[in-house]
Amino acid sequence: MNRVYVCSCFGITEQQVKQHADGGACTPRQIASACKAGTDCGSCVRRIQAILGRGSCRDLADRGEPVLTELEDAA
């Protein structure tokens, strides 16, 4: 399994960010609330934005559907 780390401070992978996005996290702040990614040095925030920019939240918003769901504590 090839793991691509997005946040090296907390060891968060691209797959984990995508899972949180699929669960309703649509902003870097919501990702941070779910798994702490982006809350230490901040160097991963742009990468998180890029992942979110092509994810399911954008598809839901484009269709006019609600994009927020309750996030489970993944930490």
Side-chain angles (χ1 to χ4, degrees):
M1 176 180 225
N2 187 12
R3 291 187 179 178
V4 177
Y5 287 92
V6 173
C7 177
S8 57
C9 295
F10 293 104
I12 305 300
T13 64
E14 185 172 313
Q15 184 61 33
Q16 288 172 297
V17 172
K18 289 177 182 179
Q19 287 173 343
H20 290 301
D22 289 344
C26 295
T27 66
R29 183 171 284 178
Q30 291 170 338
I31 294 293
S33 293
C35 64
K36 296 185 181 179
T39 62
D40 194 24
C41 77
S43 66
C44 60
V45 173
R46 286 187 186 232
R47 179 75 179 128
I48 292 169
Q49 288 172 326
I51 293 168
L52 295 175
R54 60 179 185 262
S56 60
C57 290
R58 184 179 182 105
D59 296 339
L60 290 172
D62 289 345
R63 291 193 308 254
E65 296 180 26
V67 293
L68 296 178
T69 60
E70 187 173 329
L71 297 175
E72 295 178 4
D73 185 15

